[in-house]
Amino acid sequence: MRIAVDLNRCQGYAQCAFLAPEIFAMHGEEALLYDPEADEAQREKLAQAAAACPVQAILVDAVDVPAEAVSSAR
């Protein structure tokens, strides 16, 4: 899964960091750090975090990876 955060829109409410600390973290009071390539196992927490964002700055996109790419990466 891919995550994009509109950092111009983000106001630092930190709801995402509270709900999905494995993916989002606040650096100081206003700077948001996040993992743009979240693990599929984090889907539920990520959906909750995106829904809780007061300014809707988080976009989550499922990425379809061809089976050949997964098996060749191992």
Side-chain angles (χ1 to χ4, degrees), residues 1-3 22-24 33-39:
M1 294 177 41
R2 266 191 315 225
I3 304 166
E22 305 84 3
I23 302 167
F24 301 98
L33 303 175
Y34 66 98
D35 180 1
E37 300 287 332
D39 188 284

Side-chain angles (χ1 to χ4, degrees), residues 6-70:
D6 183 342
L7 297 175
N8 290 320
R9 184 177 243 183
C10 177
Q11 297 294 307
Y13 290 105
Q15 294 301 307
C16 57
F18 175 74
L19 292 168
E22 305 84 3
I23 302 167
F24 301 98
M26 294 303 294
H27 181 70
E29 292 185 23
E30 295 182 12
L32 177 68
L33 303 175
Y34 66 98
D35 180 1
E37 300 287 332
D39 188 284
E40 185 66 30
Q42 301 296 329
R43 178 182 290 275
E44 184 64 31
K45 282 187 175 184
L46 190 52
Q48 291 174 351
C53 180
V55 295
Q56 299 299 294
I58 303 169
L59 175 66
V60 180
D61 184 28
V63 177
D64 292 327
V65 178
E68 307 85 52
V70 172

